[in-house]
Amino acid sequence: MSKLRALIFDVDGTIADTERDGHRVAFNRAFAEAGLDWQWSIPLYGELLEVAGGKERIRYYLQKYRPDFQPPADLDSLIASLHGTKTKYFQQMVAEGAVPLRPGVKRLLKEARSQKMRLAIATTAALPNVTALLQHHLGPDSLSWFEIIAAGDIVPAKKPAPDIYHYVLQAMSIPASDCLAVEDSYHGLTAALQAGLKTVITVNDYTREQNFSGARLVLNHLGEPDQPFTVLAGNTGEATYLDLTLVHHLDQDRSSSYI
Ligand code: XBP
Ligand code: MG
């Protein structure tokens, strides 16, 4: 009998494909508004995803790609201000419907709720971005679907550090062995595995080629009854989309589903 009792979701790249056409565009708008000539192209942004967290990403960009930039005395304030503007633009894009949910996300969340599976979020992104995304797609009361939404600076060390997952597990008073994490990236997987979590990966264009060894499953997306997933690694039996039956199966099938 599977003892899985909770699903813990990442947000960026997992619940929604936020990075390329969401966060990246919002960063560029914030830079332009501040009169800066910084432009994050699609390939450059893929390199910048090496560092999680919006504020950390801006700092990394300056260090690695703009060594010529003369930082002001208070660089922290500049970064915080740019990030605040970027958050405003990202929320605007969500409100305009520019950041859709990924296939299967709403279905799986609803099924989990109907079966009293506990839900949580563990993300590096800023909380306002997460709440905007959830409320836009799942309704105003959807924040209450999650026992805890752990986001942004709530822990000092962001993914790939496992801290955000440790925080969630502690807040829920649940052992890692009773939970499944859903992630999209190597950094996310590393964080989840270090916290002892079984993990399903749904890849996106930025993460498709990453190393996902240690994941229970690697899929192109969670799938829908009329939109089957492609299995990139792992064992899904006859299933064509990830539902709670498959989730419990993954928990029980300890030997064969590791990759
Ligand atoms: C998400 C991130 C975030 C977003 C932007 O990582 O790395 O930095 O790109 O977030 P994960 P901000 O999916 O592993 O949680 O809201 O900080 O700008
Ligand atoms: Mg992610």
Side-chain angles (χ1 to χ4, degrees):
M1 180 62 191
S2 158
K3 61 190 180 86
L4 254 174
R5 292 185 290 140
L7 300 180
I8 309 176
F9 283 84
D10 170 48
V11 175
D12 293 297
T14 300
I15 283 186
D17 228 337
T18 51
E19 298 290 9
R20 191 189 68 185
D21 302 324
H23 291 300
R24 185 186 68 87
V25 175
F27 278 115
N28 283 334
R29 288 187 185 163
F31 300 151
E33 185 175 304
L36 296 161
D37 69 345
W38 309 346
Q39 264 290 332
W40 289 0
S41 66
I42 290 172
L44 171 62
Y45 195 70
E47 293 174 32
L48 296 173
L49 284 173
E50 181 57 30
V51 171
K55 295 190 289 290
E56 292 81 354
R57 191 166 298 140
I58 297 172
R59 193 181 301 277
Y60 174 68
Y61 168 71
L62 291 177
Q63 283 163 356
K64 184 151 183 206
Y65 297 87
R66 301 301 295 247
D68 53 313
F69 178 68
Q70 297 293 322
D74 193 353
L75 180 60
D76 288 356
S77 293
L78 172 65
I79 291 177
S81 155
L82 288 169
H83 190 249
T85 310
K86 176 258 165 181
T87 299
K88 176 192 79 180
Y89 280 121
F90 182 80
Q91 287 179 272
Q92 238 172 52
M93 294 173 74
V94 168
E96 287 160 3
V99 191
L101 292 187
R102 297 199 64 192
V105 168
K106 189 172 184 172
R107 173 191 53 72
L108 182 60
L109 287 173
K110 288 192 156 184
E111 189 192 3
R113 271 170 62 70
S114 75
Q115 296 200 20
K116 307 267 182 284
M117 177 75 81
R118 298 168 69 184
L119 292 172
I121 283 188
T123 176
T124 293
L127 184 61
N129 294 336
V130 182
T131 57
L133 198 63
L134 295 175
Q135 290 184 314
H136 177 82
H137 289 290
L138 304 171
D141 75 327
S142 57
L143 303 188
S144 69
W145 297 10
F146 301 90
E147 248 170 80
I148 171 145
I149 299 178
D153 301 327
I154 201 163
V155 290
K158 296 188 173 172
K159 298 173 189 174
D163 302 32
I164 196 81
Y165 280 109
H166 285 144
Y167 184 95
V168 166
L169 294 172
Q170 194 171 7
M172 294 174 84
S173 299
I174 193 169
S177 54
D178 293 6
C179 306
L180 179 83
V182 187
E183 276 284 356
D184 71 302
S185 69
Y186 172 72
H187 281 337
L189 175 65
T190 304
L193 290 180
Q194 281 193 73
L197 291 155
K198 293 172 275 287
T199 308
V200 169
I201 297 290
T202 53
V203 300
N204 57 60
D205 285 349
Y206 276 131
T207 67
R208 200 171 304 276
E209 303 303 326
Q210 294 179 348
N211 174 5
F212 292 120
S213 54
R216 284 287 166 120
L217 270 187
V218 183
L219 307 169
N220 64 333
H221 53 63
L222 295 176
E224 293 282 20
D226 62 352
Q227 191 182 357
F229 54 42
T230 300
V231 182
L232 304 173
N235 176 14
T236 57
E238 300 289 302
T240 58
Y241 59 94
L242 188 90
D243 61 2
L244 289 192
T245 305
L246 178 53
V247 162
H248 286 301
H249 177 78
L250 290 176
D251 185 41
Q252 289 165 300
D253 185 11
R254 284 167 199 287
S255 54
S256 62
S257 57
Y258 270 114
I259 61 166

